[in-house]
Amino acid sequence: FKPRESLVVAVLVRRLRQIDQGRHARLDRLEASGLAHDLHELTHACIAELCDHVASAPWGAHHVIVASQAMLNPKWRYEAVIDPACFSAMARLERMARALAPVMPDSCYVLRMRMLRDQILHVVARWVHQHGAVTDANAVQYRYMVKHLTAFVTAGLGAQFG
């Protein structure tokens, strides 16, 4: 990597670790409350953590756009340059959700989880690109998007296969 790319990776890793810790905390709360078997609650926990950072952290809106661009950069292999530990909560979500779809073929499940990860990031990044940072003036629209992103991802993950 060139110095610029190394800096981008370092900043992404720093932010991804914060988001990952928050996702683990949300999944812990779901398990403690007995809601870990609710697919909607599982997907919402992971989506909401990212979206809360986008809405409240000074770096949130910029992070989601940079992460989306990095994922699509043909010169990078995003998941190869980012420490896998940054995605440990998503891996945990995958294991928890997998238990809710035991008859789904592995190939189908893996593909749907890939779509889930990609869609969460890209939909939020597109919203920020179109609307700017979350403010009091657009917060209702932002929460509406988060609600429907959660519904969309949950439906896709739980849809029939064949």
Side-chain angles (χ1 to χ4, degrees):
F1 276 130
K2 296 177 184 173
R4 181 181 182 278
E5 285 86 5
S6 296
L7 177 62
V8 170
V9 168
V11 171
L12 285 173
V13 166
R14 182 173 164 203
R15 303 308 188 205
L16 287 167
R17 284 187 177 138
Q18 292 174 313
I19 294 165
D20 194 62
Q21 289 173 351
R23 284 176 168 158
H24 276 296
R26 286 176 189 256
L27 293 173
D28 289 345
R29 287 192 296 275
L30 285 179
E31 287 181 323
S33 67
L35 293 173
H37 299 289
D38 183 321
L39 187 57
H40 183 268
E41 292 295 329
L42 287 174
T43 57
H44 179 71
C46 288
I47 292 169
E49 187 62 29
L50 171 65
C51 290
D52 286 356
H53 277 83
V54 170
S56 63
W59 49 264
H62 184 68
H63 164 79
V64 76
I65 289 175
V66 170
S68 180
Q69 290 171 343
M71 185 181 282
L72 295 173
N73 186 329
K75 296 179 184 177
W76 293 23
R77 293 204 52 232
Y78 180 80
E79 291 165 345
V81 299
I82 302 293
D83 178 3
C86 294
F87 304 109
S88 64
M90 290 302 291
R92 182 178 171 194
L93 165 72
E94 289 180 26
R95 290 188 302 275
M96 294 168 81
R98 183 65 173 132
L100 302 176
V103 298
M104 185 182 292
D106 287 341
S107 60
C108 180
Y109 187 74
V110 168
L111 178 61
R112 288 185 185 189
M113 288 307 299
R114 168 100 226 140
M115 291 176 182
L116 176 144
R117 289 189 307 270
D118 291 351
Q119 285 302 307
I120 292 169
L121 180 61
H122 297 309
V123 167
V124 177
R126 175 170 288 288
W127 191 95
V128 169
H129 179 74
Q130 291 176 330
H131 301 277
V134 180
T135 64
D136 290 342
N138 64 18
V140 171
Q141 286 178 296
Y142 184 71
R143 286 191 302 272
Y144 183 80
M145 178 275 298
V146 173
K147 175 184 172 182
H148 287 281
L149 175 59
T150 301
F152 178 79
V153 167
T154 302
L157 191 55
Q160 291 183 344
F161 57 90

